[in-house]
Every structure is written in C-alpha cells, then in structure tokens.
C-alpha cells in the first residue's frame, strides 16, 4: 500500500535595487531548530495543484502572483523529507517586489526576501529547486519577455537592461539590445520623466501586454542574444 504525500513548493523571484531575490520562509516543527525553506506545503484532498501553491503562498507569505508556471517534480530522492515520503511539484513565479508586502502566517515564523547569491542552506532539497528555477528563468529571458513581470509598471530602459544583465549574469550589447527590444513594438515610451539626481533624466517606459499577446498569436519570434 502506498504512503506517499504530494506537496507543492514555490520559488518566487523579485527584483529591486539591481538585485534578484527569492522569497524564503522560516519554519520550526516539533521542537526542531528553525530552518529556512521555500514557501509550500501538502496538497489537500481534491485540491488542484495550482490552487494548492497559491493557497500556501497566501497563507505563509501574504503574496499573490500574476505570473507562475510549473517547474519540475522532485521525488527521486526518496529520503528528501525525513518525516514522510513526499513528492514535491515545484513552481516558479515572478512579482514586482517593490509593491509586495510579505507577512508570515500559519506555520511560517518569518518570511523575507533573500538575494539569490546569499541563499543559505535550505530545508530538504530546496537549494536544488531554487537552482532549477534560476536556470529556467535565465533560459526564458532569451525567448520570452518574462522580465517585465519583475519590473514596476513604469520603468527606465536602463532598469530593463540591468535586469537582463543581473539575471543572465552576462553583459549585453546595450545599443543592439535597445534596438531589438523596441523593434517588437510592445515597449512604449511615455512622456513621464524620472526625477533622477545627477546626469540626464530619462523617460519612463511601459510594457504593452495586450500588444505582446496579439503579436504572440501572430507568431512573433522573440529572441535576445547576449555578448
């Protein structure tokens, strides 16, 4: 007779101050020392997986997401959870961290953003899950404009350039990058000007998601190459 439990875990990425972050929670069970982990938990009976991961995110972090996709299933290591045989379906999500208020709840004692290059040893195999999500995110940058889910509604073009450099960990040809991005037609320059001190103030841009969706239906070929 099987005694296998199904869980969901979420890798939530946020970008602010020129750095990429992941959302972590701190938990403590049965008198154990507290440990850091990804938000997540067991799937309830008759609960769709996507509903389970959204519920866990709200209960543990007070976060809702607009962009989320299923990442991978982790369960080949039958001892990944010392308490039970648990198979985890992992998701990764992108949010605008500057407009998100995180708050610990239910079985999460703390919740906080952690820079991806400063992630501590996490519970279970969650470090492997984060690494898999990072690889997926870096790959998607080259063929899908997922970075716009990490930026505010209005952004400087330099913010978009820096986001690509930060996530890819590579330099880009900024002149060709701008020319390429603008050629698609789903980035619009506004009349709003930044109040940046020093240097030439720049105009804000915005992402036209409807235009992008229309172009996608028409078979747009989106590709970004790095230096």
């Amino acid at each position: 007779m099987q005694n296998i439990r199904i869980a969901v875990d979420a890798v939530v990425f946020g970008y602010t101050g020129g750095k990429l972050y992941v959302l972590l929670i701190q938990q403590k069970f049965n008198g154990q020392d507290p440990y850091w982990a990804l938000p997540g938990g067991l799937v309830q009976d008759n609960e769709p997986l996507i509903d389970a991961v959204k519920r866990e995110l709200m209960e543990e972090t007070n976060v809702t997401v607009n962009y989320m996709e299923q990442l991978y299933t982790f369960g080949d290591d039958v001892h990944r959870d010392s308490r039970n045989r648990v198979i985890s379906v992992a998701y990764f999500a992108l949010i605008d961290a500057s407009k998100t208020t995180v708050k610990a709840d239910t079985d999460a004692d703390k919740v906080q953003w952690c820079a991806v290059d400063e992630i501590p040893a996490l519970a279970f195999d969650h470090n492997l899950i984060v690494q898999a999500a990072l690889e997926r995110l870096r790959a998607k940058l080259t063929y899908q404009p997922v970075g716009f889910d990490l930026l505010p509604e209005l952004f400087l073009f330099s913010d978009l350039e820096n986001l690509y450099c930060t996530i890819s960990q590579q330099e880009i040809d900024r002149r060709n990058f701008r020319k390429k991005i603008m050629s698609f037609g789903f980035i619009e320059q506004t009349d709003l000007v930044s109040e940046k001190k020093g240097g030439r103030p720049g105009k804000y841009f915005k992402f036209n998601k409807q235009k992008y969706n229309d172009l996608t239906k028409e078979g747009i070929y989106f590709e970004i190459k790095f230096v």
Side-chain angles (χ1 to χ4, degrees):
M1 179 178 180
Q2 285 187 331
N3 185 23
I4 300 176
R5 299 188 178 188
I6 304 297
V8 287
D9 290 300
V11 184
V12 180
F13 290 115
Y15 177 80
T16 184
K19 298 189 73 172
L20 184 66
Y21 293 83
V22 67
L23 195 60
L24 299 179
I25 61 170
Q26 191 177 71
Q27 295 178 310
K28 182 171 60 177
F29 287 120
N30 301 326
Q32 299 177 352
D33 292 334
Y35 56 81
W36 289 101
L38 294 170
L42 296 176
V43 179
Q44 297 177 354
D45 292 343
N46 302 316
E47 183 180 36
L49 294 175
I50 189 66
D51 290 349
V53 70
K54 289 181 178 180
R55 172 181 55 78
E56 288 289 346
L57 273 175
M58 175 53 67
E59 290 179 353
E60 294 184 338
T61 68
N62 192 45
V63 164
T64 58
V65 299
N66 293 322
Y67 182 90
M68 176 182 285
E69 70 174 60
Q70 195 172 117
L71 174 65
Y72 196 74
T73 301
F74 293 81
D76 287 336
D77 180 1
V78 299
H79 303 297
R80 59 182 301 276
D81 189 326
S82 61
R83 299 166 299 178
N84 299 282
R85 174 75 199 280
V86 179
I87 294 174
S88 176
V89 181
Y91 288 77
F92 90 94
L94 308 175
I95 63 175
D96 177 5
S98 66
K99 293 184 178 180
T100 303
T101 301
V102 297
K103 181 180 65 175
D105 204 350
T106 64
D107 58 351
D109 297 324
K110 296 180 181 179
V111 57
Q112 71 177 40
W113 290 104
C114 181
V116 294
D117 57 354
E118 299 174 2
I119 296 175
L122 303 178
F124 317 120
D125 52 0
H126 287 188
N127 288 89
L128 293 176
I129 296 177
V130 172
Q131 186 58 41
L134 273 171
E135 292 172 2
R136 173 76 64 85
L137 177 59
R138 286 168 182 157
K140 290 181 77 69
L141 275 182
T142 64
Y143 63 85
Q144 185 177 334
V146 293
F148 297 108
D149 292 285
L150 293 164
L151 291 173
E153 181 180 358
L154 297 175
F155 55 87
L156 297 175
F157 202 87
S158 59
D159 294 333
L160 180 61
E161 294 172 332
N162 293 335
L163 180 144
Y164 266 74
C165 291
T166 298
I167 295 177
S168 67
Q169 295 185 322
Q170 299 181 64
E171 284 299 319
I172 59 174
D173 184 327
R174 292 179 182 258
R175 182 178 178 181
N176 287 334
F177 176 80
R178 185 185 182 106
K179 183 179 179 180
K180 180 77 171 181
I181 286 288
M182 295 304 295
S183 70
F184 292 115
F186 52 73
I187 302 297
E188 301 174 353
Q189 180 175 293
T190 73
D191 293 328
L192 299 174
V193 179
S194 73
E195 298 179 356
K196 184 178 180 181
K197 296 180 179 180
R200 183 180 177 182
K203 288 192 174 183
Y204 283 107
F205 290 76
K206 64 180 181 179
F207 176 52
N208 188 328
K209 194 167 187 177
Q210 183 59 53
K211 180 67 177 294
Y212 171 72
N213 291 337
D214 292 342
L215 289 171
T216 300
K217 293 176 182 177
E218 296 172 8
I220 182 177
Y221 180 65
F222 180 87
E223 182 184 39
I224 296 296
K225 295 182 179 179
F226 297 92
V227 176

